[in-house]
mmCIF file with all atom_site columns, all heavy atoms in Angstrom:
data_model
loop_
_atom_site.group_PDB
_atom_site.id
_atom_site.type_symbol
_atom_site.label_atom_id
_atom_site.label_alt_id
_atom_site.label_comp_id
_atom_site.label_asym_id
_atom_site.label_entity_id
_atom_site.label_seq_id
_atom_site.pdbx_PDB_ins_code
_atom_site.Cartn_x
_atom_site.Cartn_y
_atom_site.Cartn_z
_atom_site.occupancy
_atom_site.B_iso_or_equiv
_atom_site.pdbx_formal_charge
_atom_site.auth_seq_id
_atom_site.auth_comp_id
_atom_site.auth_asym_id
_atom_site.auth_atom_id
_atom_site.pdbx_PDB_model_num
ATOM 1   N N   . VAL E 1 59 ? 16.448 1.696   7.348  1.00 0.00 ? 73 VAL E N   1
ATOM 2   C CA  . VAL E 1 59 ? 17.000 3.057   7.462  1.00 0.00 ? 73 VAL E CA  1
ATOM 3   C C   . VAL E 1 59 ? 18.006 3.185   8.600  1.00 0.00 ? 73 VAL E C   1
ATOM 4   O O   . VAL E 1 59 ? 18.588 4.242   8.811  1.00 0.00 ? 73 VAL E O   1
ATOM 5   C CB  . VAL E 1 59 ? 15.894 4.120   7.647  1.00 0.00 ? 73 VAL E CB  1
ATOM 6   C CG1 . VAL E 1 59 ? 14.936 4.107   6.465  1.00 0.00 ? 73 VAL E CG1 1
ATOM 7   C CG2 . VAL E 1 59 ? 15.143 3.918   8.955  1.00 0.00 ? 73 VAL E CG2 1
ATOM 8   N N   . GLY E 1 60 ? 18.194 2.106   9.370  1.00 0.00 ? 74 GLY E N   1
ATOM 9   C CA  . GLY E 1 60 ? 19.214 2.132   10.422 1.00 0.00 ? 74 GLY E CA  1
ATOM 10  C C   . GLY E 1 60 ? 18.751 2.579   11.790 1.00 0.00 ? 74 GLY E C   1
ATOM 11  O O   . GLY E 1 60 ? 19.573 2.876   12.652 1.00 0.00 ? 74 GLY E O   1
ATOM 12  N N   . LEU E 1 61 ? 17.434 2.594   12.007 1.00 0.00 ? 75 LEU E N   1
ATOM 13  C CA  . LEU E 1 61 ? 16.935 2.988   13.326 1.00 0.00 ? 75 LEU E CA  1
ATOM 14  C C   . LEU E 1 61 ? 17.128 1.871   14.341 1.00 0.00 ? 75 LEU E C   1
ATOM 15  O O   . LEU E 1 61 ? 17.282 2.112   15.530 1.00 0.00 ? 75 LEU E O   1
ATOM 16  C CB  . LEU E 1 61 ? 15.447 3.342   13.253 1.00 0.00 ? 75 LEU E CB  1
ATOM 17  C CG  . LEU E 1 61 ? 15.111 4.770   12.852 1.00 0.00 ? 75 LEU E CG  1
ATOM 18  C CD1 . LEU E 1 61 ? 13.625 4.899   12.550 1.00 0.00 ? 75 LEU E CD1 1
ATOM 19  C CD2 . LEU E 1 61 ? 15.521 5.751   13.947 1.00 0.00 ? 75 LEU E CD2 1
ATOM 20  N N   . ILE E 1 62 ? 17.091 0.640   13.857 1.00 0.00 ? 76 ILE E N   1
ATOM 21  C CA  . ILE E 1 62 ? 17.326 -0.516  14.713 1.00 0.00 ? 76 ILE E CA  1
ATOM 22  C C   . ILE E 1 62 ? 18.233 -1.494  13.972 1.00 0.00 ? 76 ILE E C   1
ATOM 23  O O   . ILE E 1 62 ? 18.418 -1.381  12.763 1.00 0.00 ? 76 ILE E O   1
ATOM 24  C CB  . ILE E 1 62 ? 16.010 -1.253  15.095 1.00 0.00 ? 76 ILE E CB  1
ATOM 25  C CG1 . ILE E 1 62 ? 15.368 -1.864  13.834 1.00 0.00 ? 76 ILE E CG1 1
ATOM 26  C CG2 . ILE E 1 62 ? 15.048 -0.320  15.793 1.00 0.00 ? 76 ILE E CG2 1
ATOM 27  C CD1 . ILE E 1 62 ? 14.204 -2.788  14.132 1.00 0.00 ? 76 ILE E CD1 1
ATOM 28  N N   . ARG E 1 63 ? 18.798 -2.425  14.727 1.00 0.00 ? 77 ARG E N   1
ATOM 29  C CA  . ARG E 1 63 ? 19.465 -3.535  14.058 1.00 0.00 ? 77 ARG E CA  1
ATOM 30  C C   . ARG E 1 63 ? 18.867 -4.818  14.615 1.00 0.00 ? 77 ARG E C   1
ATOM 31  O O   . ARG E 1 63 ? 18.283 -4.819  15.704 1.00 0.00 ? 77 ARG E O   1
ATOM 32  C CB  . ARG E 1 63 ? 20.983 -3.476  14.272 1.00 0.00 ? 77 ARG E CB  1
ATOM 33  C CG  . ARG E 1 63 ? 21.468 -3.814  15.640 1.00 0.00 ? 77 ARG E CG  1
ATOM 34  C CD  . ARG E 1 63 ? 23.004 -3.859  15.650 1.00 0.00 ? 77 ARG E CD  1
ATOM 35  N NE  . ARG E 1 63 ? 23.515 -4.421  16.881 1.00 0.00 ? 77 ARG E NE  1
ATOM 36  C CZ  . ARG E 1 63 ? 23.624 -3.752  18.029 1.00 0.00 ? 77 ARG E CZ  1
ATOM 37  N NH1 . ARG E 1 63 ? 23.246 -2.496  18.108 1.00 0.00 ? 77 ARG E NH1 1
ATOM 38  N NH2 . ARG E 1 63 ? 24.103 -4.356  19.103 1.00 0.00 ? 77 ARG E NH2 1
ATOM 39  N N   . GLN E 1 64 ? 18.986 -5.899  13.838 1.00 0.00 ? 78 GLN E N   1
ATOM 40  C CA  . GLN E 1 64 ? 18.372 -7.157  14.231 1.00 0.00 ? 78 GLN E CA  1
ATOM 41  C C   . GLN E 1 64 ? 19.420 -8.251  14.266 1.00 0.00 ? 78 GLN E C   1
ATOM 42  O O   . GLN E 1 64 ? 20.162 -8.447  13.303 1.00 0.00 ? 78 GLN E O   1
ATOM 43  C CB  . GLN E 1 64 ? 17.245 -7.506  13.250 1.00 0.00 ? 78 GLN E CB  1
ATOM 44  C CG  . GLN E 1 64 ? 16.106 -6.489  13.291 1.00 0.00 ? 78 GLN E CG  1
ATOM 45  C CD  . GLN E 1 64 ? 14.934 -6.877  12.406 1.00 0.00 ? 78 GLN E CD  1
ATOM 46  O OE1 . GLN E 1 64 ? 15.047 -6.920  11.187 1.00 0.00 ? 78 GLN E OE1 1
ATOM 47  N NE2 . GLN E 1 64 ? 13.801 -7.153  13.025 1.00 0.00 ? 78 GLN E NE2 1
ATOM 48  N N   . GLU E 1 65 ? 19.471 -8.937  15.391 1.00 0.00 ? 79 GLU E N   1
ATOM 49  C CA  . GLU E 1 65 ? 20.435 -10.030 15.562 1.00 0.00 ? 79 GLU E CA  1
ATOM 50  C C   . GLU E 1 65 ? 19.670 -11.332 15.742 1.00 0.00 ? 79 GLU E C   1
ATOM 51  O O   . GLU E 1 65 ? 18.797 -11.437 16.599 1.00 0.00 ? 79 GLU E O   1
ATOM 52  C CB  . GLU E 1 65 ? 21.297 -9.784  16.806 1.00 0.00 ? 79 GLU E CB  1
ATOM 53  C CG  . GLU E 1 65 ? 22.307 -8.666  16.627 1.00 0.00 ? 79 GLU E CG  1
ATOM 54  C CD  . GLU E 1 65 ? 23.105 -8.405  17.900 1.00 0.00 ? 79 GLU E CD  1
ATOM 55  O OE1 . GLU E 1 65 ? 22.921 -9.163  18.892 1.00 0.00 ? 79 GLU E OE1 1
ATOM 56  O OE2 . GLU E 1 65 ? 23.884 -7.442  17.925 1.00 0.00 ? 79 GLU E OE2 1
ATOM 57  N N   . LYS E 1 66 ? 20.049 -12.318 14.946 1.00 0.00 ? 80 LYS E N   1
ATOM 58  C CA  . LYS E 1 66 ? 19.354 -13.594 15.026 1.00 0.00 ? 80 LYS E CA  1
ATOM 59  C C   . LYS E 1 66 ? 20.094 -14.541 15.970 1.00 0.00 ? 80 LYS E C   1
ATOM 60  O O   . LYS E 1 66 ? 21.296 -14.778 15.798 1.00 0.00 ? 80 LYS E O   1
ATOM 61  C CB  . LYS E 1 66 ? 19.258 -14.219 13.628 1.00 0.00 ? 80 LYS E CB  1
ATOM 62  C CG  . LYS E 1 66 ? 18.383 -15.448 13.584 1.00 0.00 ? 80 LYS E CG  1
ATOM 63  C CD  . LYS E 1 66 ? 18.011 -15.822 12.157 1.00 0.00 ? 80 LYS E CD  1
ATOM 64  C CE  . LYS E 1 66 ? 16.970 -16.935 12.133 1.00 0.00 ? 80 LYS E CE  1
ATOM 65  N NZ  . LYS E 1 66 ? 16.554 -17.301 10.780 1.00 0.00 ? 80 LYS E NZ  1
ATOM 66  N N   . HIS E 1 67 ? 19.377 -15.040 16.956 1.00 0.00 ? 81 HIS E N   1
ATOM 67  C CA  . HIS E 1 67 ? 19.918 -16.040 17.869 1.00 0.00 ? 81 HIS E CA  1
ATOM 68  C C   . HIS E 1 67 ? 19.020 -17.262 17.788 1.00 0.00 ? 81 HIS E C   1
ATOM 69  O O   . HIS E 1 67 ? 17.926 -17.250 18.348 1.00 0.00 ? 81 HIS E O   1
ATOM 70  C CB  . HIS E 1 67 ? 19.964 -15.503 19.305 1.00 0.00 ? 81 HIS E CB  1
ATOM 71  C CG  . HIS E 1 67 ? 20.924 -14.363 19.477 1.00 0.00 ? 81 HIS E CG  1
ATOM 72  N ND1 . HIS E 1 67 ? 20.538 -13.099 19.890 1.00 0.00 ? 81 HIS E ND1 1
ATOM 73  C CD2 . HIS E 1 67 ? 22.265 -14.283 19.274 1.00 0.00 ? 81 HIS E CD2 1
ATOM 74  C CE1 . HIS E 1 67 ? 21.596 -12.310 19.936 1.00 0.00 ? 81 HIS E CE1 1
ATOM 75  N NE2 . HIS E 1 67 ? 22.646 -12.976 19.576 1.00 0.00 ? 81 HIS E NE2 1
ATOM 76  N N   . SER E 1 68 ? 19.486 -18.257 17.091 1.00 0.00 ? 82 SER E N   1
ATOM 77  C CA  . SER E 1 68 ? 18.690 -19.453 16.776 1.00 0.00 ? 82 SER E CA  1
ATOM 78  C C   . SER E 1 68 ? 17.345 -19.036 16.178 1.00 0.00 ? 82 SER E C   1
ATOM 79  O O   . SER E 1 68 ? 17.365 -18.396 15.136 1.00 0.00 ? 82 SER E O   1
ATOM 80  C CB  . SER E 1 68 ? 18.563 -20.373 17.996 1.00 0.00 ? 82 SER E CB  1
ATOM 81  O OG  . SER E 1 68 ? 17.643 -19.873 18.927 1.00 0.00 ? 82 SER E OG  1
ATOM 82  N N   . ARG E 1 69 ? 16.240 -19.324 16.823 1.00 0.00 ? 83 ARG E N   1
ATOM 83  C CA  . ARG E 1 69 ? 14.957 -18.962 16.209 1.00 0.00 ? 83 ARG E CA  1
ATOM 84  C C   . ARG E 1 69 ? 14.543 -17.524 16.476 1.00 0.00 ? 83 ARG E C   1
ATOM 85  O O   . ARG E 1 69 ? 13.663 -16.980 15.826 1.00 0.00 ? 83 ARG E O   1
ATOM 86  C CB  . ARG E 1 69 ? 13.852 -19.887 16.750 1.00 0.00 ? 83 ARG E CB  1
ATOM 87  C CG  . ARG E 1 69 ? 13.836 -21.246 16.129 1.00 0.00 ? 83 ARG E CG  1
ATOM 88  C CD  . ARG E 1 69 ? 12.705 -22.071 16.677 1.00 0.00 ? 83 ARG E CD  1
ATOM 89  N NE  . ARG E 1 69 ? 12.749 -22.146 18.149 1.00 0.00 ? 83 ARG E NE  1
ATOM 90  C CZ  . ARG E 1 69 ? 11.949 -22.943 18.864 1.00 0.00 ? 83 ARG E CZ  1
ATOM 91  N NH1 . ARG E 1 69 ? 11.067 -23.701 18.269 1.00 0.00 ? 83 ARG E NH1 1
ATOM 92  N NH2 . ARG E 1 69 ? 12.050 -22.970 20.170 1.00 0.00 ? 83 ARG E NH2 1
ATOM 93  N N   . THR E 1 70 ? 15.146 -16.950 17.487 1.00 0.00 ? 84 THR E N   1
ATOM 94  C CA  . THR E 1 70 ? 14.706 -15.632 17.956 1.00 0.00 ? 84 THR E CA  1
ATOM 95  C C   . THR E 1 70 ? 15.500 -14.491 17.316 1.00 0.00 ? 84 THR E C   1
ATOM 96  O O   . THR E 1 70 ? 16.710 -14.579 17.156 1.00 0.00 ? 84 THR E O   1
ATOM 97  C CB  . THR E 1 70 ? 14.875 -15.565 19.487 1.00 0.00 ? 84 THR E CB  1
ATOM 98  O OG1 . THR E 1 70 ? 14.195 -16.679 20.056 1.00 0.00 ? 84 THR E OG1 1
ATOM 99  C CG2 . THR E 1 70 ? 14.305 -14.278 20.037 1.00 0.00 ? 84 THR E CG2 1
ATOM 100 N N   . ILE E 1 71 ? 14.782 -13.427 16.965 1.00 0.00 ? 85 ILE E N   1
ATOM 101 C CA  . ILE E 1 71 ? 15.447 -12.241 16.432 1.00 0.00 ? 85 ILE E CA  1
ATOM 102 C C   . ILE E 1 71 ? 15.342 -11.122 17.456 1.00 0.00 ? 85 ILE E C   1
ATOM 103 O O   . ILE E 1 71 ? 14.244 -10.758 17.891 1.00 0.00 ? 85 ILE E O   1
ATOM 104 C CB  . ILE E 1 71 ? 14.828 -11.812 15.090 1.00 0.00 ? 85 ILE E CB  1
ATOM 105 C CG1 . ILE E 1 71 ? 15.207 -12.849 14.009 1.00 0.00 ? 85 ILE E CG1 1
ATOM 106 C CG2 . ILE E 1 71 ? 15.293 -10.427 14.688 1.00 0.00 ? 85 ILE E CG2 1
ATOM 107 C CD1 . ILE E 1 71 ? 14.626 -12.574 12.669 1.00 0.00 ? 85 ILE E CD1 1
#
Side-chain angles (χ1 to χ4, degrees):
Chain E
V73 300
L75 274 169
I76 65 171
R77 72 174 191 280
Q78 296 185 294
E79 288 177 5
K80 188 165 188 178
H81 294 119
S82 76
R83 282 182 305 188
T84 306
I85 290 178

